[in-house]
Amino acid sequence: MAAPSLIPLNPARGVSDYDLLFDCVHCGLCAEACPTYIVTRCEMDSPRGRIYLMKSLAEGRIEIDDDAARHFDLCLGCRGCETACPSGVHYGRLIEGARLLVEQNHRRSFVDRFKRRAVGAIFPYPHRLRMLLAPLKLVDRFGLRPALAAVLPRMIHDWLDLLPPLEPDLRPLAAKAIIAPRTDASAVVVHRGCVAQVLANSENLNSERLLGAAGYRVVQLEPTSCCGALDLHSGNGSRARDFARANVRALKASGADAIVSAASGCSVAIAEYGDLLKDEPEFAEDARAVSSKVRDLSSLLLDAPARPKREFRCRVTYHDACHLVHGLGVREAPRKLLASIPGVTIVEMTDSDLCCGSAGSYNLTEPAMARDLARRKADNIVAAGADYVVLANPGCEFQIAAELRRRGSKIKVVHLADFLAMASQ
Ligand code: SF4
Ligand code: SF4
């Protein structure tokens, strides 16, 4: 439906995908799929309420104030609403537009600006994150993290609480033991991400090993830039496009037929480069080609004949990472893969596809809502009676593991790639 012609033109209309707002028919069927609405029961924290806010802003009927910014900030960008919506509303694109609008037109508090700038200055750059974490490795080696956390300001304490115990060596690991298959096999590249290559590189390496063992030709990516998702989710579209261009160049040069990431948020970001760079003639075609090659690890492994043969007796519950299930529509393949391991019993948790509160850097910038969602997720995991929670996103892994650690739970949280590698040893 076209925009009504009598609405005064406002700069905001150029930021939000204005016409897309009219796809929403206000039916409200998305509300119970929305984690923030489930927690607050406030209409403006539901997808429909936020779309209404976007439209009001775009039409110049309201200004961005603290309240409006707050309702957008609380959105996790989980896209549960997209899966639930019968009208095909492109909520992900709409909220990214709204976030740009907020960043360009709203002045945040000092603490808020500090948090967001710290995240943006450190996380997309693996070498900076490694340098920052180096002293913490020593602290962990002597078991002093609780003592350190006790004397730090609340915000830093909460951030530390989310970090997994650090491995002694945070240098990038060299990929090895990749079985060299036929040279005519499909070439797959694993995009190693930014935070993931520092804090969860085993997931990248095990993804490569599993793909190699399944008969794919694993090619390396040089260099690996942040996918840009953190910037897109925080309203920094310009730097997100810089990262996207760098990745498009490198991914094209890799010659890969398929692109995989152990972090589902990165997979979705790359799958949307075609849209992000559509107005840049120099990149548009390559970006579309790169986006069309994104696959998820479990679907590729499911297509390959090799499977773990060793018995691995345990009860596993699978957590659906938002971007994998709502962004790429992958729900069954990881479960089928897990069920194919002899001895594994899958026990479904309630609301396996409801966000755990991690959502990129959301648990750093919105700790209260993130914690509430983590508690709900942990309750459902405990009730399922599993020995392992398996998932396909390092951010969810840190968030859920932190909540289970706080409870003293023995349930182990393991990335799908690490779990499959463990089961096939
Ligand atoms: S993206 Fe997630 S949190 Fe945001 S409105 Fe949609 S369902 Fe709610
Ligand atoms: S986003 Fe979709 S499900 Fe939600 S109110 Fe609009 S049309 Fe209905």
Side-chain angles (χ1 to χ4, degrees):
M1 181 176 171
S5 57
L6 290 180
I7 292 168
L9 196 64
N10 182 287
R13 289 181 63 172
V15 176
S16 278
D17 278 299
Y18 184 70
D19 288 347
L20 291 183
L21 291 166
F22 288 84
D23 291 341
C24 175
V25 296
H26 312 294
C27 65
L29 290 173
C30 52
E32 292 301 329
C34 174
T36 56
Y37 179 74
I38 289 171
V39 171
T40 69
R41 293 290 165 194
C42 165
E43 172 69 12
M44 286 304 156
D45 290 328
S46 77
R48 179 172 64 182
R50 291 189 178 109
I51 289 171
Y52 184 75
L53 259 185
M54 291 174 202
K55 201 151 166 276
S56 303
L57 286 165
E59 293 169 357
R61 285 187 277 118
I62 60 168
E63 297 296 323
I64 294 184
D65 56 13
D66 287 349
D67 268 358
R70 187 84 203 109
H71 293 304
F72 292 138
D73 285 351
L74 264 195
C75 172
L76 295 130
C78 68
R79 304 203 190 180
C81 47
E82 284 193 5
T83 300
C85 175
S87 300
V89 168
H90 296 279
Y91 183 85
R93 274 172 67 180
L94 291 173
I95 190 65
E96 278 165 14
R99 294 204 199 287
L100 285 172
L101 184 64
V102 170
E103 292 319 306
Q104 289 168 357
N105 294 282
H106 180 65
R107 184 156 176 84
R108 297 180 176 282
S109 69
F110 172 77
V111 173
D112 212 6
R113 273 181 283 144
F114 172 79
K115 279 198 271 192
R116 285 161 189 272
R117 283 186 189 163
V119 168
I122 297 165
F123 286 85
Y125 303 101
H127 62 286
R128 293 184 192 173
L129 186 56
R130 273 190 203 100
M131 272 170 49
L132 191 77
L133 294 180
L136 198 58
K137 279 191 302 177
L138 265 184
V139 170
D140 274 4
R141 186 174 300 166
F142 294 105
L144 295 174
R145 197 186 298 188
L148 175 69
V151 297
L152 289 170
R154 180 62 193 259
M155 186 185 89
I156 310 289
H157 171 282
D158 289 349
W159 286 17
L160 265 190
D161 199 34
L162 290 167
L163 261 185
L166 295 179
E167 300 295 327
D169 191 349
L170 288 173
R171 284 173 305 169
L173 300 170
K176 56 187 177 196
I178 296 170
I179 296 167
R182 304 185 322 266
T183 49
D184 62 343
S186 296
V188 183
V189 69
V190 175
H191 185 280
R192 294 186 180 188
C194 48
V195 175
Q197 66 174 274
V198 179
L199 291 173
N201 209 30
S202 66
E203 294 159 20
N204 291 324
L205 297 180
N206 279 325
S207 297
E208 291 176 348
R209 287 171 188 150
L210 290 161
L211 287 163
Y216 293 98
R217 185 161 55 88
V218 179
V219 294
Q220 303 291 309
L221 187 63
E222 290 296 340
T224 300
S225 304
C226 167
C227 66
L230 280 176
D231 283 324
L232 266 185
H233 299 163
S234 57
N236 188 352
S238 153
R239 196 171 65 173
R241 279 190 292 279
D242 288 344
F243 282 134
R245 288 185 211 101
N247 276 307
V248 166
R249 273 192 218 101
L251 287 164
K252 184 185 176 194
S254 75
D257 304 303
I259 300 162
V260 167
S261 170
S264 49
C266 303
S267 295
V268 170
I270 298 168
E272 294 182 347
Y273 282 171
D275 193 43
L276 186 66
L277 301 178
K278 67 179 184 303
D279 297 325
E280 300 188 21
E282 200 190 329
F283 284 94
E285 197 181 327
D286 288 343
R288 267 197 307 277
V290 160
S291 290
S292 71
K293 292 178 181 172
V294 171
R295 301 282 182 277
D296 88 288
L297 176 71
S298 49
S299 304
L300 285 183
L301 295 178
L302 209 53
D303 286 346
R307 290 275 191 293
K309 300 277 188 297
R310 188 173 79 83
E311 185 174 82
F312 192 67
R313 191 162 289 281
C314 60
R315 290 161 64 86
V316 173
T317 192
Y318 180 77
H319 160 73
D320 289 283
C322 298
H323 282 89
L324 193 60
V325 66
H326 302 306
L328 295 181
V330 176
R331 196 184 286 270
E332 295 308 322
R335 288 176 167 83
K336 281 187 188 163
L337 211 48
L338 289 167
S340 73
I341 302 171
V344 166
T345 304
I346 302 209
V347 286
E348 287 291 343
M349 70 174 96
T350 304
D351 291 336
S352 66
D353 61 355
L354 196 73
C355 185
C356 64
S358 164
S361 55
Y362 186 94
N363 51 359
L364 305 179
T365 54
E366 297 293 342
M369 177 62 79
R371 185 74 198 274
D372 194 317
L373 294 169
R375 285 194 194 101
R376 288 165 191 253
K377 181 60 69 176
D379 287 346
N380 289 334
I381 289 167
V382 170
D387 308 306
Y388 288 88
V389 190
V390 175
L391 33 70
N393 188 47
C396 308
E397 180 188 340
F398 304 152
Q399 168 83 346
I400 294 172
E403 187 58 34
L404 291 173
R405 261 199 314 274
R406 287 180 205 116
R407 296 176 180 211
S409 169
K410 297 266 184 300
I411 302 170
K412 295 179 235 4
V413 187
V414 187
H415 189 280
L416 180 69
D418 287 350
F419 188 84
L420 292 171
M422 196 162 63
S424 42
Q425 272 170 8

